[in-house]
Amino acid sequence: MNVFGVDIGGSGIKGAPVDLERGELAQERHKVLTPQPSSPAAVADAVAEVVGNFGWSGPVGITFPGVVTSGVTRTAANVDKGWIDMDASRLLGDRLGGMPVTVLNDADAAGVAEVTFGAGRGRKGTVILLTFGTGIGSALFIDGRLVPNTELGHLELHGHDAESHASTKAKEDEDLSWQHWAHRVQKYLAHVEMLFSPELFIIGGGVSRKAEKFLPLIEGIRAEIVPAELRNDAGIVGAAMAAAGR
């Protein structure tokens, strides 16, 4: 069974049909740049372009980088503030010609995919997935059950949002070495560990492709730390799962 998933990020919007039996993309994903400014109408057009590239008709799951409750986007840290309190399910469904649309937090989607098909499969206790990109997304699981919309990237660290200090964007903007950035990530993980005492951290987002460059540099964390197995496709897979009611 294939269902379409779209992952809206601060820098890119990507999507593909997903094979829900295997938890893999059924076709190579299509990606476009996130419009700037990333207004709801402009992003909806970009989502329609991604979905239309495949000639898709049917249910579509769509992630959003912020809090989502009942299809309404409540926060917008890394996209246009016009998304705050937007009925995203209705907006995107209308733009897609009435296709059934399910909208959920991007890190929650990635986490569900990893816990079902990837690095968190079969793990009990407290598991936290963190996606490092334009910001830092989080998904918290207790014995495999999601606690939605945790937004741990906005924990305060050194007087600022943690994501402004330890995201991949911060690394790029400040031209940090892997060593320097890993030290920042280590401090962030230590803070999250102090609050939640997880058994496992799963590190996702695009930077997970380069896990060997920074994970070995992180020290002093009790929890096991592993890269996401679905890498940067996890959000697409999780979005499709949500659209299928899984």
Side-chain angles (χ1 to χ4, degrees):
M1 177 182 177
N2 292 354
V3 175
F4 205 93
V6 178
D7 191 12
I8 297 174
S11 59
I13 298 172
K14 53 190 181 293
V18 175
D19 181 335
L20 291 180
E21 297 304 313
R22 296 183 299 157
E24 299 174 356
L25 305 191
Q27 298 181 51
E28 185 175 349
R29 71 189 190 187
H30 181 67
K31 181 176 180 178
V32 299
L33 295 177
T34 302
Q36 300 299 331
S38 50
S39 67
V43 170
D45 286 346
V47 169
E49 179 183 341
V50 171
V51 176
N53 183 71
F54 295 86
W56 179 264
S57 179
V60 179
I62 303 173
T63 77
F64 180 80
V67 172
V68 182
T69 57
S70 301
V72 176
T73 49
R74 300 297 186 184
T75 64
N78 295 305
V79 289
D80 189 86
K81 302 309 178 191
W83 283 100
I84 296 174
D85 293 330
M86 169 64 64
D87 188 341
S89 288
R90 175 177 293 179
L91 169 74
L92 294 164
D94 288 348
R95 185 62 186 81
L96 292 175
M99 293 183 203
V101 164
T102 303
V103 181
L104 73 161
N105 174 266
D106 56 350
D108 285 349
V112 168
E114 283 292 331
V115 164
T116 305
F117 296 108
R121 184 173 45 206
R123 296 294 293 258
K124 297 297 183 184
T126 303
V127 173
I128 296 177
L129 172 128
L130 298 167
T131 60
F132 290 82
T134 305
I136 299 175
S138 62
L140 171 65
F141 294 85
I142 311 296
D143 291 332
R145 297 189 66 178
L146 174 69
V147 180
N149 292 309
T150 46
E151 293 289 278
L152 300 182
H154 300 299
L155 288 172
E156 185 177 315
L157 195 64
H158 304 303
H160 302 282
D161 263 13
E163 68 179 21
S164 70
H165 187 72
S167 65
T168 306
K169 184 176 187 295
K171 179 186 185 305
E172 294 169 351
D173 287 352
E174 299 180 46
D175 196 25
L176 301 177
S177 67
W178 286 108
Q179 180 79 45
H180 191 164
W181 185 66
H183 184 63
R184 290 190 180 189
V185 173
Q186 176 180 304
K187 286 186 174 181
Y188 172 63
L189 293 179
H191 188 54
V192 176
E193 183 169 64
M194 179 269 292
L195 293 170
F196 295 97
S197 301
E199 281 82 7
L200 176 67
F201 281 117
I202 303 171
I203 306 301
V207 76
S208 62
R209 294 192 303 269
K210 301 176 181 177
E212 75 285 350
K213 292 184 179 291
F214 67 95
L215 287 189
L217 303 175
I218 294 174
E219 301 174 338
I221 305 298
R222 289 195 178 98
E224 183 182 357
I225 309 172
V226 299
E229 290 182 10
L230 279 66
R231 304 294 174 91
N232 215 19
D233 291 338
I236 297 173
V237 174
M241 292 174 66
R246 299 193 180 185

